[in-house]
């Protein structure tokens, strides 16, 4: 009987056949457009392409020029500062807000909507809003000075030493709400019996979070980390809206460097080389995430 049932079952290849057939267009799109486009970009990064792509290979010349460019070095430095601080503050602030929202406070839905609302705005709108807020003539500096503090200075977008921090403020304002919602969903997935057991055992709340809840939320934190990091690597709109890369090149970022060289300087080879370096950055994030999410499970 068991043998007959086993023989009647379709092989693994033909299970969920309709779903697999329906996914064929997306698989082909991924292979042809995404994978094909990536390979095409990497190949042409070794060429001397200018206005139009051409297969005239120049070896690593484009990469040598790239890393000799002060603008590219400044872009990488800015991205590193923005990325590290954005990761830290987004996770810390987002988790604190999620923990507060998880206390079943009054008007929770209203607060959740308020915190998440900035994420619904485009980065261009966010950049323009914070450009006005940080403008020394009619923004925070002007308001504080009108209250009597004449010596107060707060103009990060006009100071080349701290301009990246002004952009960071706008990025945190827009993205922290999403982080809060992701972590709140993770907190709501924790079994209520765990909280009850910690209270019975007399474990302080902060220890419960650090040693029990946060380790249990590891998959949520990893997913949130990947989402934040992908947004960091793609940082472009905020910079263009707030500073256009200025003062000078003080707020340049890799995505803007790629756009400027490909579509304004008409130097496709240099743009492709910069794009490839950005691709490596994404791979450094995605590969460990894929290993942690899938490799560890298989081994377990």
């Amino acid at each position: 009987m068991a043998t007959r049932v086993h023989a009647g079952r379709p092989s693994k290849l033909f299970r969920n056949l309709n779903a697999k057939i329906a996914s064929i267009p997306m698989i082909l799109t991924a292979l042809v457009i995404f994978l094909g486009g990536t390979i095409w970009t990497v190949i042409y990064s070794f060429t001397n392409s200018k206005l139009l792509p051409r297969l005239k290979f120049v070896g690593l010349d484009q990469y040598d020029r790239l890393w000799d460019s002060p603008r590219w070095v400044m872009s990488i430095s800015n991205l590193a500062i923005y990325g590290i601080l954005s990761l830290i503050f987004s996770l810390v602030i987002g988790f604190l807000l999620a923990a507060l929202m998880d206390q079943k406070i009054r008007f929770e839905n209203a607060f959740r909507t308020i915190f998440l609302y900035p994420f619904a705005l485009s980065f261009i709108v966010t950049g323009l809003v914070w450009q006005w807020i940080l403008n020394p003539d009619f923004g925070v500096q002007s308001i504080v000075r009108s209250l009597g503090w004449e010596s107060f200075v707060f103009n990060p977008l006009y100071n080349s030493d701290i301009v990246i921090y002004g952009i960071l403020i706008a990025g945190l304002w827009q993205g922290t709400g999403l982080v809060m919602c992701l972590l709140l969903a993770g907190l709501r997935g924790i079994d209520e019996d765990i909280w009850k057991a910690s209270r019975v055992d007399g474990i302080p709340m902060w220890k419960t979070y650090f040693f029990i809840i946060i380790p249990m939320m590891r998959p949520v934190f990893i997913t949130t980390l990947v989402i934040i990091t992908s947004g960091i690597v793609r940082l472009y709109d905020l910079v263009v809206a707030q500073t256009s890369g200025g003062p000078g090149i003080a707020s340049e970022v890799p995505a803007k460097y790629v756009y400027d060289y490909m579509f304004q300087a008409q130097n496709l080879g240099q743009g492709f080389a910069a794009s490839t370096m950005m691709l490596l950055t994404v791979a450094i994030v995605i590969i460990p995430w894929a290993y942690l999410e899938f490799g560890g499970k298989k081994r377990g």
Side-chain angles (χ1 to χ4, degrees):
M1 181 70 177
T3 308
R4 270 201 307 255
V5 171
H6 180 73
R9 293 177 61 189
S11 66
K12 185 179 288 188
L13 179 64
F14 294 102
R15 291 176 194 168
N16 301 319
L17 187 60
N18 291 336
K20 290 178 180 177
I21 293 174
S23 66
I24 289 175
M26 183 53 67
I27 294 172
L28 291 176
T29 300
L31 289 176
V32 175
I33 297 180
F34 297 119
L35 184 59
T38 299
I39 294 172
W40 189 84
T41 299
V42 173
I43 291 173
Y44 276 88
S45 70
F46 296 100
T47 68
N48 193 27
S49 300
K50 295 296 183 183
L51 177 60
L52 296 173
R54 56 177 180 173
L55 276 174
K56 183 180 179 182
F57 290 98
V58 293
L60 296 173
D61 284 0
Q62 296 289 3
Y63 292 93
D64 289 338
R65 287 182 208 154
L66 184 68
W67 288 102
D68 286 339
S69 170
R71 185 178 173 187
W72 174 254
V73 174
M74 177 63 74
S75 299
I76 295 298
S77 175
N78 285 335
L79 191 67
I81 294 171
Y82 180 92
I84 292 170
L85 294 179
S86 182
L87 280 173
I88 294 172
F89 284 111
S90 292
L91 289 173
V92 171
I93 298 172
F95 184 78
L96 290 176
L97 290 175
L100 290 173
M101 297 286 287
D102 195 42
Q103 304 307 308
K104 309 297 190 296
I105 62 174
R106 293 180 64 188
F107 308 114
E108 177 189 329
N109 290 337
F111 283 114
R112 192 165 59 226
T113 302
I114 291 170
F115 288 133
L116 188 59
Y117 176 74
F119 187 75
L121 301 176
S122 73
F123 285 103
I124 293 294
V125 172
T126 298
L128 290 175
V129 168
W130 278 95
Q131 184 191 58
W132 298 333
I133 293 173
L134 300 177
N135 190 302
D137 294 328
F138 46 81
V140 174
Q141 178 177 298
S142 176
I143 294 171
V144 174
R145 286 187 177 185
S146 68
L147 297 175
W149 285 277
E150 295 292 338
S151 60
F152 179 79
V153 176
F154 186 67
N155 56 351
L157 299 185
Y158 297 84
N159 185 332
S160 59
D161 294 328
I162 59 173
V163 63
I164 193 64
Y165 302 105
I167 296 170
L168 175 66
I169 293 171
L172 290 175
W173 179 79
Q174 180 160 26
T176 303
L178 175 65
V179 176
M180 179 206 71
C181 286
L182 291 171
L183 297 181
L184 179 60
L187 286 172
R188 292 283 164 86
I190 301 296
D191 194 336
E192 191 65 29
D193 291 339
I194 293 173
W195 292 105
K196 292 178 182 177
S198 68
R199 292 191 201 101
V200 170
D201 293 339
I203 302 174
M205 182 172 285
W206 70 269
K207 282 190 175 181
T208 304
Y209 275 113
F210 270 99
F211 298 110
I212 301 175
I213 303 302
I214 290 178
M216 292 180 66
M217 292 175 60
R218 174 178 163 273
V220 179
F221 274 103
I222 292 175
T223 301
T224 305
L225 189 68
V226 171
I227 292 173
I228 297 172
T229 307
S230 65
I232 290 169
V233 174
R234 294 184 288 106
L235 177 65
Y236 173 79
D237 311 63
L238 281 178
V239 175
V240 172
Q242 287 186 275
T243 65
S244 294
I249 60 170
S251 60
E252 286 286 340
V253 288
K256 186 175 181 299
Y257 184 96
V258 171
Y259 178 87
D260 288 348
Y261 268 87
M262 291 184 70
F263 299 106
Q264 293 184 4
Q266 297 177 354
N267 189 338
L268 291 179
Q270 184 69 184
F272 289 146
S275 299
T276 303
M277 297 309 300
M278 291 179 66
L279 174 66
L280 288 176
T281 305
V282 174
I284 290 171
V285 175
I286 294 298
I287 291 173
W289 168 76
Y291 175 78
L292 289 172
E293 282 294 293
F294 304 109
K297 290 180 182 176
K298 286 183 180 178
R299 194 164 43 190

